Amino acid sequence: MSTRIETHHRRTVVGMLKPIAVLACAVLLGLTGCGDDTTEGSTDELQAFYDTLREQAAAFDYVEGEYFDDYSDANFYALAFYARVGVELEDAAYLQRADEIHDYDLSVLQQANSDPEWSAEHLEEVLYAALGLIEHASATGETDAIATLDTFIDLSNFLVGIYDNYLDVSLGEYAADTYGPTSITGGLALLNLQYAKYLDTPRTQDRIDAAVEIVQAIDEQAFDGERYLFRPGEDKLFLYPNSIMILVLNRLYELTGDRDYLERAETAFEGVAPLRHELGFYRSPYSAEYMGAQTDEYSTLSSQNYFNLALLLLYQNTGKQIYLERFEEILTFLRLNLYDDAQGRLLHHWIDGHIAHPDDLEYFCSGCNLQFLYIVWYLKSVVGV
């Protein structure tokens, strides 16, 4: 397998009032009217930004389907973005890139299935490859990865079952300690649900049933009635476990029709309200100390991306404008404050009043930029606003 499987330290995720207000509509590509004089121009500006980022993404460090400087995110979001947009636009270059990433991701998953110990050590790399392959299969209709996906998901569910459906153990070189057992376990539940959402196979109901059991265990271990905990007994409020669980609960609602899941997702949204910063982002305390933040004015591109995906699903399933408003605030903040014009890319984080610096422990995540592009595609083509 031509691969450099290496788990990096994960991505450790103000404008003036007038430009924020002007770009509010643009961020949502015409979601709502903010005044006839500004909407069209703002939308054009946001579209230009999106197009520029797409062009820059084509130059990210990449060899035969494998991205570098991506913190594993590209396995999921590069494949999802290029497959979805490639099919939608009938873009041969995008589809070629998607095929290359597909082959790389499939090789990662095949290695994971043949070597469970290696898989556990590279959990992020493998999990994102599986999620990317699901998106590719859904977009293209190709089924060559289904059997490999089934094997991996069965093995993952067996592993989670050994630990009573809550993985409060050290897996991966960084994942469990950084994002916490609730996020990691929730991610494996989400894998089952993305499969059930996007693929029509004889195993679909099995995947839903497995996710139901995992979520029940997570609720028993880590839901305090208001928010999801990093791990049992950890009282500090974190964004990641709640973002992941909001995604999981929304997918469960969509697949089962049980409104209790949706109500719990809305409760978790309210639970992270104290993390909301007046500048328009949600604080990311999971890596603030590691990155050397001296204030609570710290947030990562990755964490905001995941929360924005959660907000989009909440909006899809409830129709409540508050979720689009929060989404808009975050996307506007990222657009105005994390984009480096000289490099033509979004940088890794905002810290103590300024954008990431090259001397920071982490500086740029190509996978997070591709995730941002996927989110804009999802907003336009799936949410439809």
Side-chain angles (χ1 to χ4, degrees):
M1 175 175 66
S2 176
T3 177
R4 178 188 59 85
I5 305 295
E6 178 180 342
T7 302
H8 301 273
H9 275 181
R10 294 283 297 170
R11 57 207 183 293
T12 48
V13 42
V14 178
M16 297 293 290
L17 180 59
K18 182 175 180 180
I20 287 178
V22 171
L23 281 172
C25 296
V27 169
L28 293 180
L29 303 178
L31 169 63
T32 58
C34 295
D36 294 339
D37 294 336
T38 61
T39 301
E40 183 177 353
S42 298
T43 300
D44 290 344
E45 184 176 354
L46 195 285
Q47 185 65 48
F49 169 70
Y50 176 64
D51 290 341
T52 296
L53 194 58
R54 287 170 60 188
E55 292 174 5
Q56 291 293 335
F60 290 164
D61 195 3
Y62 165 93
V63 178
E64 297 180 350
E66 180 186 13
Y67 280 85
F68 303 90
D69 301 317
D70 69 316
Y71 302 104
S72 300
D73 293 78
N75 286 1
F76 183 178
Y77 291 105
L79 183 51
F81 175 71
Y82 285 111
R84 296 291 190 185
V85 178
V87 169
E88 188 174 276
L89 301 181
E90 299 182 350
D91 188 307
Y94 272 38
L95 291 172
Q96 175 62 33
R97 177 64 63 99
D99 286 345
E100 293 171 358
I101 304 167
H102 163 276
D103 292 346
Y104 172 77
D105 281 1
L106 186 58
S107 71
V108 170
L109 214 58
Q110 289 168 340
Q111 180 168 345
N113 289 345
S114 66
D115 188 348
E117 183 176 350
W118 179 89
S119 179
E121 292 174 354
H122 299 85
L123 181 61
E124 294 162 277
E125 182 91 9
V126 179
L127 176 59
Y128 286 135
L131 289 165
L133 289 168
I134 290 170
E135 294 266 359
H136 181 271
S138 174
T140 66
E142 297 176 12
T143 61
D144 62 309
I146 301 298
T148 304
L149 278 165
D150 278 326
T151 299
F152 174 68
I153 296 173
D154 286 342
L155 288 170
S156 298
N157 290 344
F158 177 75
L159 172 65
V160 175
I162 291 175
Y163 293 96
D164 296 324
N165 288 318
Y166 186 83
L167 284 174
D168 195 359
V169 296
S170 179
L171 291 174
E173 296 180 14
Y174 197 59
D177 291 338
T178 303
Y179 304 111
T182 301
S183 295
I184 300 304
T185 310
L188 293 173
L190 185 62
L191 176 62
N192 282 274
L193 294 167
Q194 291 291 97
Y195 180 108
K197 175 73 175 180
Y198 289 124
L199 305 179
D200 183 12
T201 82
R203 303 299 306 280
T204 298
Q205 189 60 49
D206 294 341
R207 304 305 176 211
I208 297 171
D209 293 343
V212 167
E213 292 183 5
I214 294 171
V215 168
Q216 181 178 350
I218 293 173
D219 285 345
E220 292 172 353
Q221 293 283 337
F223 184 62
D224 69 359
E226 297 181 355
R227 43 72 186 266
Y228 283 90
L229 305 177
F230 183 88
R231 63 161 42 93
E234 172 62 72
D235 290 332
K236 186 176 181 180
L237 178 60
F238 288 89
L239 188 60
Y240 262 110
N242 289 281
S243 297
I244 296 300
M245 290 308 298
I246 290 171
L247 288 167
V248 168
L249 293 166
N250 272 276
R251 287 299 190 219
L252 266 178
Y253 165 69
E254 294 166 2
L255 290 162
T256 67
D258 187 339
R259 291 197 62 85
D260 286 347
Y261 293 123
L262 186 57
E263 291 171 3
R264 202 172 314 140
E266 293 196 88
T267 297
F269 165 77
E270 295 292 344
V272 298
L275 294 177
R276 183 171 172 242
H277 195 281
E278 61 184 6
L279 299 182
F281 61 84
Y282 279 66
R283 289 184 290 271
S284 306
Y286 78 104
S287 60
E289 182 177 354
Y290 164 74
M291 291 297 294
Q294 300 300 304
T295 70
D296 68 352
E297 194 175 318
Y298 174 79
S299 187
T300 63
L301 173 58
S302 169
S303 67
Q304 302 312 286
N305 281 341
Y306 276 100
F307 193 56
N308 258 355
L309 282 171
L311 290 170
L312 285 180
L313 263 64
L314 279 169
Y315 173 71
Q316 280 185 281
N317 289 320
T318 68
K320 295 179 181 179
Q321 290 297 314
I322 183 62
Y323 301 124
L324 280 179
E325 291 170 8
R326 294 291 180 266
F327 173 92
E328 178 181 332
E329 288 178 356
I330 293 169
L331 206 61
T332 301
F333 178 83
L334 298 177
R335 162 68 178 85
L336 295 179
N337 295 282
L338 289 196
Y339 184 70
D340 186 304
D341 289 303
Q343 300 182 65
R345 57 185 59 181
L346 293 159
L347 297 186
H348 184 276
H349 57 269
W350 178 266
I351 184 169
D352 298 337
H354 60 82
I355 197 172
H357 188 274
D359 292 336
D360 290 345
L361 292 172
E362 293 171 352
Y363 180 59
F364 166 66
C365 169
S366 64
C368 303
N369 278 253
L370 290 157
Q371 185 182 20
F372 181 93
L373 289 172
Y374 173 85
I375 290 167
V376 175
W377 168 82
Y378 194 96
L379 171 71
K380 295 191 297 181
S381 297
V382 180
V383 180
V385 294

